[in-house]
């Protein structure tokens, strides 16, 4: 480490110590009554939050390489820092005459204040490895018995929760996440499942089973409806061969039904060939004149009723990089 790097690290540590003291300050008198002397910015804790900070700066391009910008303005980083403080407090040995429930309440009060200020709820008992990043963060919830390895990256709206709503068991009920796992926005990982190292959980995924190391989990089907007077709708979508999409639903024989392919918004809509149709099915040909198949199919009728369908990528046959055909990917495909 050069003299410049050393000076920069000392400045960074001083700022982090000031922020930790600021987070702890409202409860310091009560904490002292339970623990006696307690340092809210111990060298071990400073080292831990410094690792989180540098990971954020390195991995989020919106930080523009500035740790000062992250510390000074990123509420999601403050949520992680507050969790580190609450978790450290929860793990501090009690005085012989101290009440453990009081200590839990104090740790939880720090966590609850962080939730109100940042929109990120992390239980103080959750075990989180080094260099942890919560990006954006609003609505993210990490439960009491959750465990995460090192170098994990989590976006907003993520829930690491239990499978039940009320009356959940007191034991392990939240996920165990490996190292270097990335979890996309609004994904939900529920129950005492295990997610292997280097897995990627895609946006809006719902995971309630173990995921092997290196796997990729993504949502394969999605459709959105605008309901008018016409009784059309989609109940299932399936790729049954290369360039062939089977749509099942209701009202699909409507005389005014128009089928378009969407590859990047309304302006890029192109007609899709209807190879066979009935009131409950459509067989569509997806070969596009440009050579690039659409990502969505939109069904519309003149009264404004429409359904937009995401075309599954992991079904039927797909092209490999060498131009041949290969087997479809599953929802959790090997990385």
């Amino acid at each position: 480490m050069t003299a410049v790097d050393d000076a920069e690290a000392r400045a960074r540590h001083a700022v982090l110590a000031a922020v930790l003291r600021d987070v702890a300050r409202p409860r310091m008198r009560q904490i002292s009554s339970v623990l006696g002397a307690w340092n809210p910015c111990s060298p071990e804790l400073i080292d831990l939050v410094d690792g989180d900070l540098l990971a954020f700066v390195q991995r989020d391009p919106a930080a523009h390489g500035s740790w000062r910008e992250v510390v000074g303005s990123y509420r999601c980083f403050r949520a992680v820092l507050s969790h580190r403080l609450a978790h450290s407090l929860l793990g501090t040995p009690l005085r012989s005459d101290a009440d453990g429930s009081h200590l839990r309440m104090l740790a939880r009060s720090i966590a609850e204040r962080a939730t109100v200020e940042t929109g990120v709820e992390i239980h103080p008992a959750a075990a989180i490895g080094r260099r942890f990043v919560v990006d954006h963060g609003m609505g993210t919830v990490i439960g009491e018995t959750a465990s995460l390895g090192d170098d994990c990256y989590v976006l907003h709206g993520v829930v690491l929760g239990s499978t039940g709503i009320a009356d959940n068991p007191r034991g392990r009920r939240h996920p165990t996440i490996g190292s270097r796992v990335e979890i996309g926005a609004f994904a939900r990982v529920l129950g005492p499942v295990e997610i292997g190292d280097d897995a990627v959980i895609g946006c809006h995924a719902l995971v309630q089973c173990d995921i092997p190391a290196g796997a990729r989990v993504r949502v394969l089907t999605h459709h959105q409806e605008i309901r008018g007077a016409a009784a059309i709708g989609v109940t299932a979508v399936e790729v049954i061969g290369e360039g062939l999409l089977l749509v099942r639903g209701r009202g699909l024989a409507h005389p005014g039904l128009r089928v378009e392919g969407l590859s990047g918004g309304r302006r890029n809509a192109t007609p899709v060939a209807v190879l066979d149709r009935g009131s409950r099915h459509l067989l569509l040909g997806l070969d596009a004149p440009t050579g690039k198949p659409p990502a969505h199919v939109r069904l519309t009728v003149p009264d404004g009723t429409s359904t937009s369908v995401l075309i599954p990528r992991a079904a039927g046959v797909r092209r490999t990089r060498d131009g041949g055909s290969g087997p479809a990917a599953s929802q959790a495909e090997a990385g």
Side-chain angles (χ1 to χ4, degrees), residues 27 32 45 49 81 95 115 130 146 155 205 218 223 237 248 254 271 278 301 316 322:
R27 296 294 182 182
S32 298
L45 190 54
V49 295
L81 180 143
R95 295 186 324 196
T115 300
R130 304 183 71 86
L155 289 182
R218 59 189 179 187
H223 70 273
V237 181
R248 300 186 185 276
H254 192 288
V301 295
D322 62 3

Side-chain angles (χ1 to χ4, degrees), residues 123-173:
H123 194 284
I128 298 178
R130 304 183 71 86
R131 297 174 296 278
F132 179 55
V133 176
V134 174
D135 197 359
H136 303 293
M138 183 65 68
T140 290
V141 178
I142 300 177
E144 178 185 19
T145 64
S147 173
L148 292 88
D150 296 334
D151 301 295
C152 290
Y153 201 107
V154 173
L155 289 182
H156 51 288
V158 167
V159 176
L160 305 182
S162 57
T163 54
I165 297 175
D167 304 314
N168 285 297
R170 290 184 179 273
R172 180 172 170 253
R173 58 193 182 278

